[in-house]
Amino acid sequence: MVEKVENKLKKTLLDHKDQKGLSIISLIDDLVEEAQRLRASDIHIDPQADSVRVRYRIDGVMADHHTLPKTIHSEVITRIKILSGLRTDEHQSALDGRFRLTIDGTPIDIRVSIAPAYYGENAVLRLLSDKAQDFTLTTLGFSEENQKKILSAIQRPYGMILATGPTGSGKTTTLYTLLKKLSTPEVSIITIEDPIEYSISGINQIQANTRTGLTFAQGLRSILRQDPNIIMVGEIRDAETAGIAVNTALTGHLLLSTLHTNDAATTLPRLLDMKIEPYLIASTVNIAIGQRLMRKICEHCKKELKFTKEEMKSLHETLPLPAKGTFRAWRGGGCDACAGSGYRGRLGIHEVMVVDEPIRQAVVRKATATELRAIAVERGMITMLEDAVEKVAAGLTTIDEVMRMLHE
């Protein structure tokens, strides 16, 4: 199927001379179709000195896929602008838009970012499929123990649920999965997001817009007048939003949001940095979820690895492997199903820090992230690295992926 789409792309480029307008329309459609077939999350269209490079991000990793002639660059960008409802005469500003295509009966929302670069405007197209609504905590990679902690935390009528990690670590998908679980006719759920990544049935979703003054902070104030039970704020970016979020959680609302921190333990000191009083943090945060995404081994071509004594010794020095028993690991050999990469799809690795009494006392005395982590581990928290090693042993991911995460 992917090969068929690639042939369509080649034909579109060959037909460019004879069917100029039609070929550009077909080209964009075919690029999106191919990216969808390859399970890509993003299409990057980058102008070079004498060509245009097209790259796809598949399972979090970028790869070159096509080289287009420089002569059609402006037409490609113009077509994307027309689809997104953007100004075609604006070439010196960053532009954001959105459009929808239907591929084989499946609607795909595409978020567009265009920016002026050295060799002309580049474009990044983010593919947003409604398949994200099919996720569960299990398919996201949460262990049974972590699922119990999260489900217990979201059953509380008020407080904060925070998902943390770098950009692209799946935080928003985790929150959407929790919202879908919480959505019942008995509760009112409202979100404010920038941007709205997926539409969720039964939930009121508001798009933040800084140009009109609808920031996260202003939107959160407005939401409180809409009589919600549960609120999701796309991201806590500043002290003002953090302050309103904490007060919202104090006044009987369950609030879900994300923070950019490296791990769960750093979340609480980060709120301290935003000038939130320690006792307020201790009173409102129910749980902090730290996460990353790792590539899954392709089930069609995975092979078990054999380790020498020296290799096993080196692994024990680097990773928190089990002290007893045999450690098993696998690697993907590469096949048609995974396009030769050895990986197909992604799953999360997580650490879930429950804010219980010992953690609250530590927060009130302004303990460091290191101290909080030590207390959480003592209280039974499985760290992200330990979770990753468990997933290697279960044959879900590879040691190479764990090492890549450590390097990052």
Side-chain angles (χ1 to χ4, degrees), residues 6 45 143 145 151 223 271 281 285 315 318 323 344 360 398:
E6 286 178 349
I45 300 172
S143 66
E145 183 64 27
L151 293 175
I223 285 172
L271 290 173
I281 298 170
V285 180
L315 283 174
T318 309
R344 184 174 173 83
R360 288 192 193 99
T398 66

Side-chain angles (χ1 to χ4, degrees), residues 90-225:
E90 179 56 74
H91 304 288
Q92 301 303 319
S93 299
L95 302 170
D96 296 313
R98 198 178 183 119
F99 66 94
R100 172 174 282 204
L101 288 180
T102 300
I103 306 293
D104 291 341
T106 303
I108 302 169
D109 281 322
I110 297 147
R111 199 170 79 216
V112 174
S113 173
I114 296 174
Y118 187 76
Y119 290 113
E121 291 174 288
N122 70 359
V124 178
L125 281 60
R126 167 66 59 89
L127 278 61
L128 304 169
S129 169
D130 283 342
K131 288 179 181 176
Q133 293 195 41
D134 298 334
F135 283 129
T136 64
L137 290 178
T138 301
T139 58
L140 289 179
F142 284 95
S143 66
E144 286 188 21
E145 183 64 27
N146 283 339
Q147 286 188 47
K148 287 177 186 175
K149 293 176 182 177
I150 292 169
L151 293 175
S152 174
I154 65 174
Q155 293 310 313
R156 296 180 63 179
Y158 61 90
M160 293 174 71
I161 310 291
L162 298 175
T164 72
T167 301
S169 58
K171 302 185 296 295
T172 303
T173 302
T174 295
L175 294 191
Y176 277 173
T177 303
L178 295 180
L179 287 180
K180 193 179 74 169
K181 203 163 192 67
L182 288 165
S183 182
T184 64
E186 293 78 32
V187 296
S188 168
I189 302 177
I190 305 178
T191 76
I192 178 157
E193 307 169 57
D194 184 22
I196 296 172
E197 303 235 355
Y198 306 103
S199 170
I200 307 177
S201 177
I203 292 174
N204 293 313
Q205 295 171 270
I206 299 170
Q207 170 72 54
N209 188 338
T210 52
R211 292 175 189 170
T212 61
L214 187 58
T215 61
F216 281 133
Q218 186 57 48
L220 191 45
R221 286 193 184 95
S222 301
I223 285 172
L224 288 172
R225 294 191 286 273

